[in-house]
Amino acid sequence: MKIWLRMMAFTVLAALAMALVACGGGSSGGSSGGGQSSGPVTLEIGSKGEELAFDKTELRVAAGQTVTLRFKNNSAVQQHNWILVKGGDAEAAAIANAGLSAGPAANYLPADKSNILAESPLANGNETVEVTFTAPAAGTYIYICTVPGHYPLMQGKLIVTN
Ligand SMILES: [Cu+2]
């Protein structure tokens, strides 16, 4: 009888442990976690005070994951946006250059959005904006701000894992 009880207790504990492991992956954004979780995730990022910089230069998500990115503009005076680029440095530079003449009404983005995977609205000083998108295929992607003059300094990498 005692042994039977002990085995029961062990079984319950094992089941609990497995349930905890199963739940552990989905909680919140940013953990590398090996990509086993693919539930929706919210990522938080901001600009770095009055600097032309993001306060995080690396973000991680899983391929196919629904991502809500909340971007807080921590500057009082600068406008910023958060643009996810399809391609490398050349594509990012082309988008930023075309955005120069596009103006704020166009979110400093070109009309041709073929190399833009996600774009936040333009955030005024101290404003928080967000964008929801589906994480692309595994790989490393560049995110930038296309407000004139910001692109060379305001960059980061989104790492998408399988
Ligand atoms: Cu900016």
Side-chain angles (χ1 to χ4, degrees):
M1 191 63 178
K2 261 187 176 170
I3 288 169
W4 182 81
L5 272 174
R6 209 177 295 162
M7 282 178 70
M8 275 292 287
F10 179 78
T11 306
V12 169
L13 279 174
L16 274 172
M18 286 178 73
L20 281 173
V21 166
C23 292
S27 49
S28 73
S31 72
S32 48
Q36 72 270 44
S37 97
S38 55
V41 66
T42 298
L43 302 179
E44 311 260 354
I45 188 171
S47 65
K48 209 170 175 181
E50 296 297 339
E51 290 179 49
L52 299 183
F54 290 110
D55 63 3
K56 289 174 186 163
T57 53
E58 191 178 297
L59 298 171
R60 286 173 181 266
V61 294
Q65 196 166 23
T66 300
V67 180
T68 297
L69 182 124
R70 291 174 57 82
F71 172 50
K72 168 118 198 312
N73 183 351
N74 289 307
S75 165
V77 293
Q78 301 282 350
Q79 290 183 307
H80 295 300
N81 60 16
W82 185 92
I83 310 300
L84 184 61
V85 175
K86 180 183 178 186
D89 289 328
E91 286 76 12
I95 289 167
N97 286 334
L100 288 176
S101 53
N107 197 12
Y108 295 107
L109 291 175
D112 177 3
K113 307 263 173 107
S114 54
N115 286 330
I116 297 173
L117 292 167
E119 58 170 284
S120 81
L122 194 58
N124 291 317
N126 293 315
E127 190 182 7
T128 298
V129 294
E130 60 177 58
V131 56
T132 299
F133 61 97
T134 302
T140 300
Y141 299 81
I142 302 170
Y143 57 81
I144 62 173
C145 171
T146 62
V147 172
H150 295 197
Y151 157 71
L153 296 166
M154 289 192 78
Q155 300 190 18
K157 286 190 165 77
L158 177 76
I159 296 169
V160 182
T161 54
N162 273 314

